[in-house]
Amino acid sequence: MGKYEARRLSDALFRRLAGLNPEDPVHSYVRGTVIELNMPLVRFVASRFRHRPEELDDIVQVGTVGLIKAVDGFDPDRGVEFVTYAIPTISGEIKRFFRDTSWPLRVPRSVQERYLAAVRASDRLEQALGRLPDTAELAAELHVTEDEAAEGLEAGRLCRCDSLDSLRDDGSDDAGSALINRLGGCDPELEVAELRVMATPFLSRLPERERTVLLLRFWGGLTQSEIAARIGVSQMHVSRILAATLAGLRERIEHGGDDGGESAGGDGGEGCGDGAGESAG
């Protein structure tokens, strides 16, 4: 059935529906038929919101509720086509669904309604005044207190989140900078803080060269190449010293301080392979 035939049949069923008692089983059958005939309207309106993250099936389901409300509230004697009446009703139901579910923070319905009213009133006053209205003018337009008008506008911040890339423009010293550039970063020293605390009691037990390498690396912040130049060995040899020393310290810490031999001492762990050295670099 084409859409024009569906509209003509729908109009005829609406006239039939108006003459039936709501308790009559025929009324339910005719009403259901009208709803089914006009389901394409729901899919048409829902397609306008395809860009939203919600599933299209969910939007169609909400739009169907709007269609049912439109069928129940339509008066064929007013001379208005059902399509003209139904589309805003369906769209309004879908928008209400988005309004109720898309706020990052859940706020009372009264605050949401106040926000929408404040936005509409602000738009009207801006067109009339040629500028943004102040809180007193907005409150007078809405017939509410200034605090309620301000609360309505403030609630709008709850339905959107600022991007980390957005620029700040509040007159402060860092105005114009992106939010992400004002966030703190991880302190690289935290990565070795625990090691320093656990290793400090064992440093005095290490041979001088191993202790020097460990101090330069984790307390002095030098790279392996810088340490190698400082003590006159190759970078690879420094890597092996670190690998063997750290392995020995780890073993001592895990055994609660039991010395268990010179596992962290010696000639810098010459027996360690290159892979072990690289992993400690």
Side-chain angles (χ1 to χ4, degrees):
M1 182 182 298
K3 64 178 181 179
Y4 296 109
E5 291 81 1
R7 287 184 184 180
R8 286 194 293 269
L9 178 57
S10 181
D11 292 340
L13 290 175
F14 268 118
R15 289 191 293 271
R16 172 65 172 155
L17 194 63
L20 293 173
N21 189 319
E23 298 181 356
D24 190 336
V26 179
H27 180 279
S28 297
Y29 174 77
V30 174
R31 177 175 175 267
T33 304
V34 172
I35 293 172
E36 185 176 352
L37 280 172
N38 288 279
M39 278 301 296
L41 284 178
V42 176
R43 289 186 283 272
F44 168 74
V45 176
S47 65
R48 300 178 179 178
F49 302 93
R50 190 181 298 273
H51 64 283
R52 300 293 298 237
E54 290 79 3
E55 294 290 339
L56 184 60
D57 289 343
D58 293 338
I59 301 175
V60 170
Q61 185 174 3
V62 174
T64 302
V65 175
L67 173 63
I68 294 172
K69 291 181 178 180
V71 170
D72 291 340
F74 180 65
D75 184 0
D77 295 331
R78 297 187 63 179
V80 178
E81 289 189 8
F82 177 69
V83 173
T84 304
Y85 176 77
I87 288 181
T89 306
I90 297 169
S91 179
E93 191 69 24
I94 294 174
K95 290 178 180 179
R96 188 176 299 110
F97 165 72
F98 290 142
R99 183 196 63 201
D100 292 344
T101 60
S102 62
W103 293 59
L105 297 180
R106 182 63 178 155
V107 297
R109 172 68 64 86
S110 60
V111 177
Q112 296 180 26
E113 297 286 356
R114 192 175 301 156
Y115 161 68
L116 295 175
V119 170
R120 297 188 186 107
S122 179
D123 290 341
R124 292 195 302 269
L125 289 174
E126 184 177 1
Q127 293 179 0
L129 301 174
R131 58 174 174 80
L132 287 174
D134 57 31
T135 305
E137 293 168 335
L138 187 60
E141 176 72 12
L142 294 171
H143 306 291
V144 297
T145 66
E146 292 188 25
D147 289 341
E148 290 174 332
E151 183 185 37
L153 291 177
E154 184 69 18
R157 297 184 179 181
L158 301 179
C159 66
R160 63 182 184 272
C161 298
D162 291 336
S163 169
L164 291 178
D165 294 322
S166 62
L167 300 182
R168 186 175 182 180
D169 187 15
D170 56 3
S172 61
D173 293 338
D174 57 356
S177 63
L179 177 59
I180 194 171
N181 294 331
R182 301 193 301 276
L183 297 178
C186 294
D187 187 349
E189 294 298 312
L190 291 177
E191 298 179 3
V192 295
E194 185 177 2
L195 172 65
R196 291 172 179 170
V197 172
M198 292 188 298
T200 298
F202 302 99
L203 289 178
S204 60
R205 307 179 190 179
L206 295 175
E208 181 178 356
R209 185 173 59 173
E210 282 70 11
R211 183 170 60 249
T212 299
V213 170
L214 208 65
L215 289 172
L216 291 175
R217 180 69 183 90
F218 295 106
W219 275 262
L222 274 63
T223 65
Q224 292 186 10
S225 298
E226 291 170 337
I227 297 172
R230 178 76 65 89
I231 66 176
V233 298
S234 66
Q235 182 270 332
M236 180 60 70
H237 194 59
V238 170
S239 178
R240 291 173 177 172
I241 293 175
L242 283 171
T245 305
L246 291 175
L249 285 175
R250 186 179 300 110
E251 182 179 348
R252 292 182 182 184
I253 292 171
E254 290 175 353
H255 287 80
D258 185 12
D259 209 349
E262 297 295 328
S263 60
D267 189 45
E270 290 293 343
C272 297
D274 291 348
E278 291 298 325
S279 64

